[in-house]
Amino acid sequence: MGMDRNSVIGLLLIGALFVGFIFYQNSISENQKEKYFEENVNRGDSLSKRADVLFIEGKQAFEKSLVDSLKKDSLILAASEILPKARSKFEEAITSYSRALKAKKDEKQPTEMITMLTKKQIEIDSLLKIITPVADSMPVKTDTISSGKEVTVSNDSVAKPALIAPMFTENKKVVSDTFILENSKVKATILSKGAKLESVELTEFKKHPKHEDTRLILFEGDSNVFDLRYFIDRKDVSTKNKVFETKGVIEKADGSKEITLLLYADTLKKKYIEFRYSLPSDGYMMDFEISFNGMKAMMTQGAPVVLNWKMTLPSLEKGYINEDSYCTAYFKANEDVDYLSETSSEDSEEINYKVDWIAFKHQFFSTVIIAKNQFESATISSVKLDDPKENFLKTITASMTLPEPGDGKTSIPFNIYFGPNKYNILSDQGEGLDLEQMIPLGWSFFLMEWINRFAVIPVFNFLEVYIGNYGIIILILTILLKVVLFPLTYKSYLSTAKMKVVKPQLDKALEKIPKEKMQERQQATMAFYKKVGVNPLGGCLPMVVQFPILISMFRFFPASFELRQQPFLWADDLSAYDSVASLPFEIPMYGAHISLFTLLMTISTIIYTRMNMQMNTGPQMPGMKVMMYLFPIMFLFFLNNYSSGLSYYYLVANLITFAQMWAIRRFLVDDNKILDKLEANKKKPVTKSKFQLKLEEMQKRNAKK
């Protein structure tokens, strides 16, 4: 097969698009940087304004305490409560400005704001050194924490536990009771301390064998923070270290298991916060409910009630780099599914409207909290740890604002999904949830989405019923795709063959036109092709049409749950890289291992390129030969840490292409017959399109003028 100029341009276009797509997937564009910068500056401005209000209020309270002896104690206490909040808000603002500087290092405004806010923090610290010792020495009276009796608590005395409700006592060292909710798929551990969802294990699955403990635990222990925050008497209260009461796990008639935990706000046990967890006998979805009973009058009106969930995602798979590039936070808000950057070291999103769900997404598994009546708003952040030795990937934090409690009992229902990122399973969790959009199938481009949803996934699902080896399934899928695309391949080859056989005639015709008259030579070339019936774009367009399929496979294989831990030949996991040798050093952008499938794919692509170059008898564009060999080498670096299933697919596709080219040349295309047909076309009158006729008519009119 000869490589005419248009075919080469087509290949270069595909290569350029493919490389551009890879870079797009692994970097933040300038527009994204601008958006990231503006979002963090705006958030910093908002936080600093709120902090300034608190700072002024706290400072004024302290200054008034110096001159008003009657209200001195209350003013000192007010200042001791307000100023730490102001300092905390200043710290949040500084964090936002620091994030903005990561997008634009040379911007002055964030730097100036950080300097100014740091000075205010120093001033607050100086004030607190004076205020805190005085405030700590004061007795605090309250009648909201007991059963109608006034209790006085000071720093060096402890009130009798019988008179203080659990909501207002805190003991970080208390030993928590542990409870297990378990079904055929999920094992959840819940603590009485904080009513915390301590850990979740998916019992059907295992981590990659490279991990010492192969139990697949989505989160556990200190890497997981789960608490409710609210305000009472303007004080920020957290359930984190509060001890809830419970009667333990109850098994119901339908096989589901449930536990209810209560945190009482009075010793009469009429006012409380309730956490209820319920796990069905089968499935990945847990019911979760937070209820407030009689709490409205106690809680500060207008202050937010926030459910915080901070999770450090552990590594579960073989390839740390590839796995990390698919871990992030997803969320659905305003009918759209969106996500934080998978490749940035830090990213955050402040959502000031209703939110349906938030997901803590691993490469192949997710924890998704779904608000049945939507969250009021949410703030989500992701921080990349970038330390493979620690076996943790990213820390994702979600602060979700809940509706304010009403009179009587207010219940806020949720679902929590713990399970695999498998298309069919996610889409079955609930109509309209769109959880399946967490799988990167190319949702931003409808053609890639359709190819994966309606072609690739159904074929995979059908074949896996009858075939247990996914290497064979990929082989069959590739054959089917190449058969479907064969008409395009044949058309591309035929177009190239036509241009090849008429090239001597074209060269002879162009000898009469000087080389410096490029426009005239191009017009003569197009006229010649039209006369003999050759479409110069015939070899280019079929290649461009195949590009969406190329990218669809690039998206599908690394995210395909079906390939997870599936061995084939020397690869122990088709969803991760295959390694046949480890290097004693690390090569930048390549790694410290050799992926044989990627190496074979690269070699096959180079051989294919060399064959085409040798068969091309025409002149080549300057530097074209180097460029054509450069693309396979670039793919060698890009794909060495990617899914071995992807490299295997590209390798098989190349080998099938070799076979198709041989079959076309051997049985379908005869250069002599093509030349005879083109010679016959010369004798036919050249038909002109309506556009050409109108164009010629306009030219004649202009000539008369």
Side-chain angles (χ1 to χ4, degrees), residues 45-297:
D45 291 344
S46 175
L47 288 167
S48 64
K49 287 177 182 177
R50 281 184 271 172
D52 276 330
V53 172
L54 292 170
F55 176 48
I56 293 170
E57 185 180 347
K59 189 175 179 180
Q60 288 176 345
F62 171 68
E63 290 172 349
K64 287 180 181 178
S65 72
L66 299 176
V67 295
D68 191 339
S69 58
L70 293 176
K71 297 182 179 179
K72 179 180 178 180
D73 289 357
S74 61
L75 290 169
I76 285 288
L77 286 172
S80 68
E81 292 176 6
I82 295 170
L83 288 174
K85 293 178 183 177
R87 194 189 192 289
S88 177
K89 290 294 181 186
F90 281 136
E91 187 63 37
E92 290 182 43
I94 289 171
T95 300
S96 291
Y97 288 128
S98 299
R99 287 173 178 166
L101 285 174
K102 289 186 177 182
K104 291 187 177 182
K105 296 180 180 179
D106 299 328
E107 287 290 328
K108 292 183 179 180
Q109 190 222 354
T111 304
E112 292 172 353
M113 289 299 296
I114 290 172
T115 302
M116 183 180 70
L117 298 184
T118 302
K119 290 179 180 179
K120 290 183 178 181
Q121 283 186 314
I122 294 171
E123 186 176 352
I124 290 174
D125 291 340
S126 300
L127 291 172
L128 288 175
K129 285 181 180 179
I130 302 170
I131 294 169
T132 303
V134 179
D136 288 347
S137 65
M138 294 179 182
V140 180
K141 290 188 176 182
T142 176
D143 57 1
T144 62
I145 63 175
S146 65
S147 57
K149 298 180 180 179
E150 188 176 273
V151 180
T152 301
V153 184
S154 65
N155 287 342
D156 55 359
S157 66
V158 180
K160 295 179 180 180
L163 297 178
I164 300 180
M167 186 175 289
F168 303 97
T169 60
E170 186 168 315
N171 190 342
K172 296 181 180 180
K173 296 181 180 180
V174 70
V175 177
S176 178
D177 293 326
T178 301
F179 303 92
I180 304 293
L181 297 182
E182 185 173 7
N183 65 14
S184 58
K185 294 179 172 63
V186 177
K187 180 180 180 181
T189 302
I190 297 163
L191 302 182
S192 60
K193 183 179 178 181
K196 178 187 176 184
L197 191 57
E198 172 74 355
S199 68
V200 167
E201 177 186 354
L202 299 180
T203 54
E204 291 180 300
F205 308 102
K206 298 292 182 182
K207 290 182 183 178
H208 189 273
K210 78 167 189 176
H211 300 277
E212 292 182 8
D213 183 357
T214 58
R215 292 178 302 157
L216 201 149
I217 298 174
L218 296 177
F219 56 85
E220 66 175 340
D222 294 337
S223 65
N224 169 53
V225 178
F226 184 81
D227 74 323
L228 183 71
R229 303 190 75 91
Y230 46 95
F231 286 81
I232 292 181
D233 292 339
R234 296 180 63 186
K235 289 185 178 180
D236 187 3
V237 183
S238 169
T239 59
K240 183 178 178 181
N241 292 309
K242 305 294 192 299
V243 179
F244 284 64
E245 294 185 19
T246 180
K247 294 181 179 179
V249 177
I250 299 173
E251 186 166 355
K252 295 189 172 183
D254 60 1
S256 64
K257 295 177 182 178
E258 180 178 295
I259 183 171
T260 301
L261 303 103
L262 300 164
L263 179 64
Y264 292 104
D266 64 341
T267 54
L268 295 178
K269 297 187 176 182
K270 292 183 178 180
K271 300 175 181 179
Y272 57 83
I273 294 175
E274 174 184 296
F275 280 33
R276 183 183 63 82
Y277 299 92
S278 180
L279 188 67
S281 59
D282 191 30
Y284 301 104
M285 194 75 83
M286 172 187 281
D287 288 328
F288 173 52
E289 187 175 82
I290 298 176
S291 298
F292 300 88
N293 191 71
M295 294 294 298
K296 181 179 179 180

Side-chain angles (χ1 to χ4, degrees), residues 524-543:
T525 300
M526 296 305 295
F528 176 82
Y529 282 148
K530 187 172 184 63
K531 184 177 181 180
V532 298
V534 173
N535 181 4
L537 296 178
C540 174
L541 291 178
M543 296 180 185

Side-chain angles (χ1 to χ4, degrees), residues 398-415:
S399 297
M400 301 155 279
T401 305
L402 308 183
E404 287 189 42
D407 295 320
K409 187 172 183 178
T410 301
S411 296
I412 305 172
F414 307 88
N415 289 128

